[in-house]
Amino acid sequence: MVSATIVFQASGTQKASFSTNEIVIFTNATLNTGSGYNSGTGKFTAPIAGLYLFVKQICGNPNSYLYTEFVHNNTPMLESVVGYQNYQCGSTQAYMQLVRGDTVWVKITSSSSYIYSYRTEGTTFFSGALIHRS
């Protein structure tokens, strides 16, 4: 039986430089109750159906724009941009109704993108939680 508590938080990326359409893999899963997040693929897979809340915070390197978006089962959801100034961070949240087995991840949508905080600290992160079970 799968627990009704599903929550994860992962920070730090495996690298700093990304290409267009590349999945951002957050490697340091400090919380993963329900085992929905896979730190090898960067994808969250819903273990049970319900309403989920996802949050991402991405910090960019200076002198570049950084576009990212949530993806739900290969469908782009919300895109956000981090500006051109020194180490700016931007966060986005999204509510999504998922069925068991649906996947959600963060993808780069701009070329030559550089993420700050590609180590394990929590400046750049991806998190999610089940809000209401269906």
Side-chain angles (χ1 to χ4, degrees), residues 7-10 28-33 37 126 128:
V7 61
F8 76 95
Q9 174 138 340
N28 186 30
T30 55
L31 179 64
N32 196 9
T33 305
Y37 181 73
F126 175 37

Side-chain angles (χ1 to χ4, degrees), residues 3 8 24 32 45 60 70 74 84 87 93 99 107 117 121:
S3 168
F8 76 95
V24 180
N32 196 9
T45 302
F70 284 117
N74 294 317
Y84 201 74
Y87 302 104
Q93 67 180 31
V99 298
K107 179 176 84 169
S117 181
E121 63 246 12

